[in-house]
Amino acid sequence: MPSEPHPATADRLPLRRRLLPVIALLLLAPWAAECSWGGFAIDDFLPVLIFLGPMYGGAAILIRETARHLGASWPTIVLLAAAFGVLQAGLVDQSLFNPDFLDDTQYADTRAAAEATLVPGLEFSLRQAFDYVGNHIMLTICAPIVLIESFLGPDRRLRPWLGRPGLLVVSLIYLLGSLFIFSDINEDKVFLASPLQLTFAALLVVALVATALLPRWRRPRPRRTRRAPHPLWVGLPVVLARLGTDLTPGWPGMAIALALAAAVGGLIAYWSSRDGWGQRHLLVAGTASLVSAAAFAYVVPPYSPASPAAALAGDIAVTIITVALVGGAWWRLRRASPSVHVGAS
């Protein structure tokens, strides 16, 4: 999805104004990654932000800033998000390769379904890889970025927020956060992936990053003469794909899930090349998974057992926060430009 040209330098605004969206993204990424779908009860929200914010939030900031400094479009963000998902699940917490990772949670009964799609030789579940990496792409990275950018004016939406000193600080925060999680998980789970598994994950991360940095993602694409659909229609295939990924277990289910993901990605890429595609379309496409995850929070258990009152309070809080964020961003875009599409990517 092409982006409009913009300066490759950080905003020259006062430091406070430049840091506000950075802090917002730092906090929103871990909440969207772990809380928005019901993974934690309400009394665990703050610890999630404190302990996972440096890793998830740091990654979201670095990915967003890398794309905006390069003048790259959303394919770069999506590919870097996929690289982060593999890095996180394959090298940091190594949940991708540890068959016992969920045994001490309320998701222990998903082990049999995961083992139905084991990849021979590498011994990881393709189902879990799809879920882990896909959720990191949509919930941890894309939804928080598009939400925060939608609250900004069009003059700041596609511009970097940080210069080199700020990027160095965020990089250090991310590395320390990741090392903390790695050591904590390793001490708790007492597991280390095999050299072959670690090499595979590392090579896949490098391949995804290299693809994300290709110059083609920085070139404007010509607009098609047909108009893009109404923004709300863009979210429908994303929601349907999310619902369809769990229709059938095993390898047939994985084939359906991968086909749906490819079809939706291709459809959104096609729509994004049409005339009239703008930030409202991006907002709907980027937050449709967040909205559907929040809707299903009421029917999934948190990782750790919680009282019914705490679990329900968490689910209600998720609904309120999600509606406030998505509704507020939509209102902000309508107020800024009621009839003109802005910030197309």
Side-chain angles (χ1 to χ4, degrees), residues 12 15 22 28 40 67 72 105 121 171 175 187 193 198 217 229 231 257 264 274 282 289 292 337-338:
R12 300 306 178 189
L15 181 62
V22 175
L28 182 55
F40 288 91
T105 73
S171 298
L175 288 174
E187 181 180 350
L198 295 174
W217 310 124
V264 171
R274 287 186 174 187
L282 281 171
S289 291
S292 59
S337 181

Side-chain angles (χ1 to χ4, degrees), residues 93-94 98-101 104 181-193:
D93 64 33
Q94 300 186 17
N98 184 357
D100 303 326
F101 190 80
D104 57 351
I181 296 301
F182 171 80
S183 61
D184 184 64
I185 293 291
N186 184 262
E187 181 180 350
D188 182 45
K189 306 291 184 180
V190 193
F191 173 85
L192 188 64

